Amino acid sequence: ELSEKSLEEDLGPHVKGTCETLPSRIKVTKEEHDQLGNVIRVCEGNIVVNKCEGTCLSHLKPSITTATGFLKECLCCRESHMKPKEVHLTDCFDLDGKKLSDTMTVSMTEPTDCSCHKCGQ
C-alpha cells in the first residue's frame, strides 16, 4: 500500500484567501396571487443582503497514491452560516399600475459568514 505525506502545511477547508462576506444591493419583485392564481398586486424594492465573494487557494500536485498521478485540491468561496431575513417591499402596484399605499414582507436567507470550502460540498 502506497502512502505519502505532504511536506507543505495542510491548508484545510477553511483557508480565507480573499473570500469575504460583502453587502450587495439587489432589486426584488414579488407577485401576490389570489386563490385562483390571479395576480392581485406586484411589490418591489431595492434591498441590501450579504453575498460571498472572493478567491480561494486551489492547487494540483503530483501524487503517487492517485490513479491520475495528481492530487487536486479545489476550494470555492461560499457561505459558512446562513440566517433568515425579512425584507419589506415598499413599492406595490395593482394590475393597472396604480401605486398602492401598503407594503409586502418577504422572507429570505442570507449568508452571515463566508469562507473557502472544498468545491462541490
Side-chain angles (χ1 to χ4, degrees):
E1 180 178 313
L2 290 173
S3 66
E4 63 185 81
K5 182 172 174 125
S6 176
L7 297 177
E8 302 170 22
E9 178 181 325
D10 183 18
L11 298 176
H14 300 291
V15 173
K16 279 285 185 189
T18 62
C19 181
E20 58 186 332
T21 310
L22 296 173
S24 172
R25 181 175 293 276
I26 62 172
K27 181 176 184 175
V28 175
T29 303
K30 176 97 171 146
E31 294 179 343
E32 183 177 19
H33 302 266
D34 64 14
Q35 290 97 352
L36 300 174
N38 300 314
V39 176
I40 300 172
R41 65 179 175 152
V42 177
C43 296
E44 61 185 27
N46 294 318
I47 62 171
V48 176
V49 293
N50 290 333
K51 67 176 179 177
C52 296
E53 187 172 292
T55 59
C56 298
L57 297 175
S58 296
H59 62 274
L60 175 81
K61 62 183 178 181
S63 171
I64 60 170
T65 60
T66 61
T68 61
F70 292 96
L71 181 64
K72 297 177 185 178
E73 181 75 17
C74 299
L75 300 175
C76 302
C77 180
R78 61 182 280 278
E79 72 283 353
S80 298
H81 297 93
M82 300 286 283
K83 73 170 181 175
K85 179 175 185 164
E86 285 193 349
V87 295
H88 303 285
L89 306 180
T90 56
D91 297 327
C92 295
F93 304 91
D94 65 13
L95 292 180
D96 296 326
K98 180 181 173 191
K99 186 162 173 54
L100 304 170
S101 61
D102 55 351
T103 63
M104 181 188 291
T105 301
V106 177
S107 296
M108 56 186 306
T109 58
E110 71 175 340
T112 56
D113 187 45
C114 302
S115 61
C116 296
H117 297 271
K118 286 188 178 185
C119 297
Q121 294 181 353

